[in-house]
Amino acid sequence: MTISENKIYPRTGDNQTIYLKNVITDESIKVGDYTMYNDFVNDPREFEKNNVLYHYPVNGDKLQIGKFCSIACGAKFLFTSANHAMSSLSTYPFPIFFEEWELDVKKITAAWNNKGGIVIGNDVWIGFEAVILSGVTIGDGAIIGTRAVVTKDVPPYTIVGGVPAKPIRKRFSDDVISQLLKIQWWNWPENRIKKNIGAIQSGRMEDLDSTRK
């Protein structure tokens, strides 16, 4: 059992910050250990309702979020049904109103373009009111700026911002990024992470106990 197992509120007296994994009920949403969500506007436990939007079972798309992610208030994940079909002469979603227009209900998904699920890596920081669109993969260690709209994949350990989001800079050198992706500290046992918290916060690879298990 991990520290985060079955615990919703990791901080005493703080009902705005939760371990997200422990409030998820939708089987198509998977969240890793220790990933936290903060919401000072709504009840953070209603993440599925307020933050995962246009996410309908008929599409089969999934939301996957890794371990040790930090998700700020108001971040949104917009799924397939928000993408009205662009190949049509009209963006009006006629297939949704199949009863009104006497259309085949089995073709309801023709109303939108299915771009697939959303994959968030480990140790990703998603800023205040950022928006992640369907089909996007965000690499480990990336940072998504405040109110950024992410329409394309984000490489590991890259900071992006803006509308649409564009790379600002890499967090570390290519060598350090390569080493971090290799050691995957987020998969270490809890006791090893505890011993290395100071080293992790130092920002120096050489301080990590990366050779012993």
Side-chain angles (χ1 to χ4, degrees):
M1 181 177 291
T2 66
I3 292 174
S4 65
E5 197 76 24
N6 300 321
K7 181 189 292 185
I8 293 179
Y9 302 104
R11 286 163 40 92
T12 301
D14 179 2
N15 292 330
Q16 296 180 351
T17 304
I18 61 172
Y19 281 141
L20 188 55
K21 175 182 178 180
N22 297 328
V23 301
I24 297 299
T25 61
D26 188 336
E27 293 185 355
S28 65
I29 302 175
K30 302 296 182 184
V31 180
D33 292 333
Y34 311 102
T35 284
M36 53 81 67
Y37 174 60
N38 173 271
D39 198 320
F40 52 82
V41 177
N42 300 301
D43 186 336
R45 295 173 298 177
E46 296 186 349
F47 178 86
E48 289 175 319
K49 171 187 174 183
N50 296 327
N51 303 79
V52 184
L53 308 179
Y54 302 99
H55 188 224
Y56 304 131
V58 67
N59 296 311
D61 40 14
K62 302 180 185 301
L63 172 59
Q64 179 179 323
I65 303 175
K67 300 178 181 179
F68 291 98
C69 292
S70 303
I71 305 175
C73 181
K76 299 291 193 294
F77 301 83
L78 268 58
F79 276 85
T80 284
S81 296
N83 300 310
H84 290 207
M86 297 289 287
S87 59
S88 171
L89 295 180
S90 170
T91 57
Y92 189 81
F94 285 104
I96 292 178
F97 305 105
F98 55 89
E99 294 171 302
E100 294 288 299
W101 299 97
E102 299 180 358
L103 300 174
D104 185 352
V105 65
K106 295 179 181 178
K107 296 182 179 180
I108 192 170
T109 57
W112 49 75
N113 295 325
N114 193 332
K115 296 187 177 182
I118 296 173
V119 178
I120 311 298
N122 303 281
D123 192 25
V124 173
W125 174 17
I126 299 177
F128 177 71
E129 293 188 345
V131 177
I132 317 298
L133 301 189
S134 60
V136 165
T137 294
I138 297 177
D140 297 326
I143 297 176
I144 310 303
T146 295
R147 290 178 174 157
V149 177
V150 184
T151 63
K152 297 180 180 179
D153 292 352
V154 178
Y157 291 95
T158 300
I159 302 171
V160 301
V163 182
K166 296 181 180 180
I168 297 172
R169 63 178 175 85
K170 293 181 180 180
R171 293 181 56 197
F172 307 109
S173 68
D174 289 341
D175 180 59
V176 169
I177 291 173
S178 178
Q179 291 181 67
L180 285 166
L181 294 175
K182 182 178 180 180
I183 66 171
Q184 298 182 357
W185 66 263
W186 45 84
N187 287 327
W188 289 355
E190 278 184 356
N191 61 347
R192 188 178 179 196
I193 294 175
K194 283 183 179 180
K195 290 166 59 176
N196 280 276
I197 287 177
I200 291 170
Q201 291 183 307
S202 76
R204 296 188 298 271
M205 283 294 303
E206 60 269 24
D207 290 347
L208 285 176
D209 171 21
S210 57
T211 58
R212 290 180 293 164
K213 299 297 183 183

